[in-house]
Amino acid sequence: MYGKVLLTFIFVLLLLLSYTIFIGNLDIRSYFFPHFKLSAVVPAACALDPSLRVFMYDLPRRFNVGMIDRRNTSETPVTVEDWPRWPENWGLKKQHSVEYWMMGSLIHGVEGREVVRVSDPELANAFFVPFFSSLSFNTHGHTMKDPATEIDRQLQVDLMELLKKSKYWQRSGGRDHVFPVTHPNAFRFLRDQLNDSIQVVVDFGRYPRHMSNLNKDVVSPYVHVVDSLTVDEPQDPYESRSTLLFFRGRTYRKDEGIVRVKLAKILSGYDDVHYERSVATEENIKLSSKGMRSSKFCLHPAGDTPSSCRLFDAIVSHCVPVIVSDQIELPFEDEIEYSQFSIFFSFKEALQPGYMVDQLRKFPKQKWTEMWKQLKNISQHYEFQYPPKREDAVSMLWRQVKHKIPGVSLSVHRSRRLKVPDWWQRK
């Protein structure tokens, strides 16, 4: 009898010991290896939390919302109580406003478990830098020759001086720091100092691979400038859209954007194709929205860079995108398959007279309808809003950032022991 009691006691003791080790209250290594210490131990609560833990630097307002709310001259960091609304009359500036919505999501909090803002940087696995670099370019010397450009340059200099004094920047070399830089000229004076950081970009059109690439950076949608189509339940959606192919925008662009001029000639003379040169005024944005909503297909040729806001305007208008860009990278592509609701043509195919229009005219109605339904299902992922909502664009972006963290950890750990940095790239 005493033997059974003893065995029962030993069994219960082992069970309690196992449970204590499992939940993290007891570090068994400290008993057997008293001199062994980890350089950094994540608290048990954090280890079990699937959320991305982000520390946001408290920067003076001149680096961010001070460019929006100029009447508030305070240098104290913005809070949820005085977070300013994005101005409704700012037109095309909105397309590069990803930085505003990402910062707002940390100020307010995101639905679900994608990201949690932490006040203790020791608990963070990513550091968000709330500098509105795109808005700074658009606000301070947009012509690039204006004397006000010096303000943009000085903001970048001041920011990097501040960051390089931070032990958290020094600890990782900035690799775990997140910078939204969606305008192609954002952070242009000191962009090379962000080479190792996680950059949130809309494409890689103007940057060498060592500066920005898919391995470490996140591709974001542009913020759409047309209003979203929220009620779209026609009896016959295909027949309700009378225009076959629609394009309205600038036709003279740089780099790959020269294709737009060539397409203007190739697509002229078709009754069911609308290809119009236009600039983005408030009235013209409304006309573009109307045109997209009444068209089966919306043309998305490359602009100054491989992508443009037009693609995401088409998505929220439920107009099947026709993408003509040989070097485009698309947001959230590990989760979203664009071929389910978009059609792709190479430059070579698109510039063959009659080829693209012929292919679109022969496109099966049933398949188009399936794409239209898919657009309605996925358009929520391209909405930027405050407060943020579950599975909207900002939520998706934070999930993309989280996917980059294992690579950041690998890079940081290797950098601490390598005697010859990046030796494998020198072969």
Side-chain angles (χ1 to χ4, degrees):
M1 178 178 176
Y2 291 108
K4 289 183 179 180
V5 172
L6 180 61
L7 287 174
T8 302
F9 175 77
I10 293 173
F11 175 76
V12 172
L13 181 63
L14 289 173
L15 185 64
L16 288 173
L17 181 64
S18 300
Y19 179 73
T20 305
I21 294 171
F22 177 76
I23 65 174
N25 288 341
L26 177 63
D27 186 0
I28 194 69
R29 291 165 301 190
S30 64
Y31 286 88
F32 296 99
F33 307 101
H35 301 294
F36 178 79
K37 293 184 182 293
L38 287 175
S39 59
V41 179
V42 178
C46 292
L48 297 176
D49 185 358
S51 304
L52 176 70
R53 301 185 303 279
V54 177
F55 176 83
M56 180 166 65
Y57 284 89
D58 284 331
L59 297 181
R61 294 176 188 234
R62 60 192 173 96
F63 288 100
N64 40 68
V65 297
M67 302 178 218
I68 298 174
D69 184 9
R70 299 191 183 186
R71 294 172 297 180
N72 189 335
T73 58
S74 171
E75 281 292 279
T76 58
V78 67
T79 66
V80 68
E81 286 77 20
D82 56 0
W83 178 255
R85 296 184 61 181
W86 182 266
E88 294 182 0
N89 61 346
W90 272 19
L92 277 185
K93 285 184 180 180
K94 185 179 181 181
Q95 65 179 329
H96 296 296
S97 62
V98 173
E99 54 208 13
Y100 167 86
W101 306 102
M102 290 189 75
M103 182 181 181
S105 71
L106 295 177
I107 292 289
H108 183 275
V110 179
E111 288 185 7
R113 301 293 297 275
E114 295 303 337
V115 61
V116 172
R117 182 184 179 185
V118 295
S119 57
D120 183 356
E122 293 292 342
L123 301 180
N125 45 28
F127 294 78
F128 183 72
V129 183
F131 172 44
F132 291 179
S133 57
S134 296
L135 185 56
S136 181
F137 170 76
N138 281 323
T139 303
H140 305 305
H142 178 64
T143 63
M144 298 181 72
K145 296 181 180 179
D146 192 304
T149 301
E150 175 61 20
I151 300 175
D152 185 26
R153 189 195 71 82
Q154 192 60 50
L155 283 172
Q156 295 170 40
V157 170
D158 293 346
L159 176 66
M160 294 313 300
E161 287 181 354
L162 183 152
L163 289 175
K164 289 181 178 180
K165 293 176 183 177
S166 164
K167 76 172 186 177
Y168 301 103
W169 175 277
Q170 296 170 9
R171 186 175 66 184
S172 69
R175 291 177 178 86
D176 52 6
H177 284 52
V178 181
F179 293 82
V181 281
T182 54
H183 193 289
N185 293 316
F187 227 107
R188 67 190 187 278
F189 295 105
L190 301 180
R191 186 69 177 260
D192 61 339
Q193 296 189 26
L194 311 185
N195 287 359
D196 293 331
S197 301
I198 301 173
Q199 300 174 38
V200 181
V201 301
V202 289
D203 58 40
F204 303 103
R206 292 189 182 177
Y207 309 113
R209 291 180 182 177
H210 71 273
M211 180 178 289
S212 190
N213 58 74
L214 273 176
N215 289 332
K216 70 177 185 67
D217 298 326
V218 171
V219 179
S220 169
Y222 285 81
V223 182
H224 62 83
V225 296
V226 304
D227 291 337
S228 299
L229 181 55
T230 55
V231 180
D232 189 17
E233 300 293 341
Q235 186 173 358
D236 188 335
Y238 185 86
E239 297 300 335
S240 70
R241 294 174 177 249
S242 56
T243 301
L244 176 72
L245 181 63
F246 179 85
F247 173 86
R248 202 169 192 275
R250 293 182 181 271
T251 54
Y252 293 96
R253 304 273 73 177
K254 294 174 282 188
D255 301 325
E256 289 186 348
I258 60 174
V259 72
R260 295 188 181 187
V261 177
K262 297 178 180 179
L263 286 172
K265 297 177 182 178
I266 289 174
L267 295 175
S268 63
Y270 293 102
D271 292 338
D272 52 356
V273 174
H274 184 102
Y275 195 98
E276 180 184 358
R277 182 183 179 185
S278 170
V279 294
T281 64
E282 184 177 353
E283 182 60 28
N284 283 339
I285 289 174
K286 292 179 180 179
L287 291 173
S288 292
S289 178
K290 182 178 179 181
M292 288 181 172
R293 294 181 180 192
S294 61
S295 301
K296 297 176 177 67
F297 301 97
C298 286
L299 186 61
H300 171 69
D304 289 341
T305 59
S307 64
S308 77
C309 181
R310 186 168 289 99
L311 169 60
F312 307 101
D313 287 343
I315 288 174
V316 300
S317 300
H318 306 161
C319 180
V320 174
V322 174
I323 299 174
V324 180
S325 180
D326 289 347
Q327 297 182 19
I328 193 170
E329 294 295 342
L330 298 166
F332 321 138
E333 204 162 6
D334 59 339
E335 299 187 53
I336 296 175
E337 185 177 350
Y338 282 79
S339 61
Q340 293 182 352
F341 56 85
S342 306
I343 300 175
F344 295 83
F345 291 96
S346 67
F347 283 162
K348 183 178 180 180
E349 291 171 331
L351 295 177
Q352 293 180 35
Y355 177 77
M356 187 163 58
V357 172
D358 183 54
Q359 293 296 309
L360 296 179
R361 284 176 173 172
K362 293 189 299 185
F363 199 82
K365 177 179 178 179
Q366 181 179 353
K367 190 172 182 180
W368 180 93
T369 304
E370 291 172 358
M371 287 187 165
W372 171 78
K373 290 179 180 178
Q374 185 67 3
L375 283 169
K376 294 174 63 178
N377 290 334
I378 56 91
S379 61
Q380 62 171 321
H381 300 314
Y382 303 92
E383 297 293 348
F384 289 86
Q385 53 209 331
Y386 184 86
K389 295 182 180 179
R390 187 187 302 268
E391 295 300 309
D392 68 1
V394 168
S395 179
M396 297 283 283
L397 282 173
W398 284 123
R399 192 150 68 231
Q400 293 294 307
V401 171
K402 184 166 67 173
H403 293 167
K404 301 296 180 181
I405 298 304
V408 168
S409 299
L410 172 64
S411 180
V412 170
H413 296 166
R414 293 185 79 254
S415 70
R416 289 172 181 168
R417 58 89 175 168
L418 285 175
K419 299 298 183 180
V420 182
D422 298 341
W423 60 267
W424 68 93
Q425 294 183 1
R426 299 185 181 189
K427 288 186 176 182

